[in-house]
Amino acid sequence: MFMTILPLALVDGISYASLLFLVSMGLTLIFGVMGILNVAHGSFYAFGGYAAATFLPWVAMYTDSPWLLMATLFAVALIVGAFMGGILEIVFIRHSYAYDPVLKLLITFGVFLMLEDVRGLIWGPQPYSANEIVQSMGNTELWGITYTSYQLIVVPIIALLAYLGLSYFLSRTNLGKQTVAIIHNREVAESQGINAKKIGLITFTIGAVLGAIGGALSAPTTSLVPGSSADMIVLSFAVIATAGLGQISGALIAAILIGIARSLAVYLAPDLEVATPYIIMVIVLIIRPNGLFTVAQARTI
């Protein structure tokens, strides 16, 4: 029975992990560069999803081309993420760099509460979804089971491309290398002439766009309801805590681990589905308090 369930859990788990990783990647990037645990990141996910669910059906009335629908989804997520990320960094985050980490966390929590009210004013309490793109892409059969091509192929490929693109940006581009320099030592980087404010704005915007893309990609396969942003930010925290704060590659592995474990729980122990990500996080943190992939640093006495 387990060998029959395992392929199904792998497919479901990787698809779920892909969405979770996109959001977690933006969250851990922001923390790695700016040292901020951004609770408002869940709102980027929610706004991206709701905006996609609002505009996608309208575009689908004029075309059933999956390419145009995907382009619409990405355009909406890019606009929402870039606008929200840019505004929030300039208005709230930029002035908090010198604050205690707890105060930074409280600032982002306050922003999250405000954005939740804004979301409620715009979209109300009713659920939103947009499955037109799923229908336009058809189905794919794997191991005798029929999956939507969107879930099986598109979402994991986009998550992988986003990871490769971010890795290339950080390791190969001039702005990326400046970002890495700030991650290692902000004061030294600034003394070398690097504009930390500009890098902070770019980083926060990229993180927000990744969160919005995660939300937009989830809109065709799930119902967006009030509380979706809170659920996603808590799950994302579980991923980055399991991987280690600021570990982008580690977040990929942790998201896959949590996604597959959650999928197995759905088939084998449904009562543990919701708790599974947090059980994994607690076990990891008991064994490695800094996360799976964080290298312990020597303390200065």
Side-chain angles (χ1 to χ4, degrees):
M1 178 181 175
F2 179 77
M3 295 308 295
T4 303
I5 290 173
L6 183 59
L8 305 179
L10 287 174
V11 173
D12 291 341
I14 289 174
S15 177
Y16 176 79
S18 299
L19 291 172
L20 186 55
F21 171 63
L22 276 169
V23 182
S24 302
M25 180 166 52
L27 182 63
T28 200
L29 174 67
I30 290 172
F31 178 83
V33 177
M34 308 172 75
I36 295 173
L37 277 174
N38 180 28
V39 179
H41 198 74
S43 297
F44 302 149
Y45 167 85
F47 274 72
Y50 274 98
T54 300
F55 287 98
L56 211 58
W58 181 79
V59 175
M61 291 191 301
Y62 300 96
T63 179
D64 60 355
S65 167
W67 300 107
L68 289 177
L69 294 176
M70 281 298 299
T72 301
L73 187 149
F74 272 103
V76 168
L78 182 62
I79 293 170
V80 168
F83 177 77
M84 290 183 66
I87 293 296
L88 292 182
E89 197 281 333
I90 292 170
V91 176
F92 296 101
I93 304 302
R94 181 169 296 182
H95 308 288
S96 69
Y97 289 133
Y99 294 177
D100 184 270
V102 175
L103 290 178
K104 294 179 185 178
L105 181 65
L106 290 175
I107 289 172
T108 64
F109 181 66
V111 172
F112 168 76
L113 294 178
M114 289 189 292
L115 290 176
E116 274 297 282
D117 286 340
V118 172
R119 184 214 54 78
L121 288 173
I122 297 174
W123 287 287
Q126 66 269 25
Y128 276 75
S129 62
N131 62 356
E132 292 82 3
I133 191 170
V134 176
Q135 296 172 355
S136 70
M137 289 186 175
N139 300 319
T140 300
E141 188 171 308
L142 189 65
W143 293 306
I145 305 296
T146 300
Y147 295 92
T148 64
S149 299
Y150 179 84
Q151 175 192 19
L152 184 66
I153 301 171
V154 175
V155 176
I157 287 178
I158 290 173
L160 180 60
L161 290 175
Y163 168 69
L164 294 175
L166 183 59
S167 299
Y168 179 86
F169 168 74
L170 292 174
S171 62
R172 300 291 183 181
T173 67
N174 185 45
L175 279 176
K177 291 175 181 178
Q178 292 180 31
T179 302
V180 172
I182 289 178
I183 292 173
H184 286 295
N185 195 307
R186 184 184 184 91
E187 289 76 15
V188 172
E190 288 181 319
S191 70
Q192 297 297 314
I194 294 176
N195 188 335
K197 289 184 178 180
K198 181 180 75 172
I199 297 299
L201 176 60
I202 292 171
T203 299
F204 203 84
T205 302
I206 291 174
V209 168
L210 289 171
I213 289 175
L217 287 175
S218 71
T221 57
T222 61
S223 272
L224 293 155
V225 295
S228 297
S229 54
D231 292 341
M232 181 53 70
I233 192 61
V234 172
L235 280 168
S236 298
F237 277 141
V239 170
I240 67 172
T242 301
L245 297 177
Q247 302 296 315
I248 294 174
S249 296
L252 172 61
I253 298 172
I256 293 173
L257 174 64
I258 287 174
I260 293 175
R262 175 186 172 276
S263 248
L264 284 171
V266 169
Y267 288 101
L268 301 175
D271 291 340
L272 293 177
E273 175 200 349
V274 175
T276 297
Y278 312 111
I279 292 172
I280 292 173
M281 179 187 69
V282 169
I283 292 172
V284 168
L285 293 181
I286 289 174
I287 299 170
R288 289 182 61 88
N290 293 321
L292 286 174
F293 302 98
T294 299
V295 178
Q297 296 180 352
R299 294 175 58 189
T300 301
I301 300 176

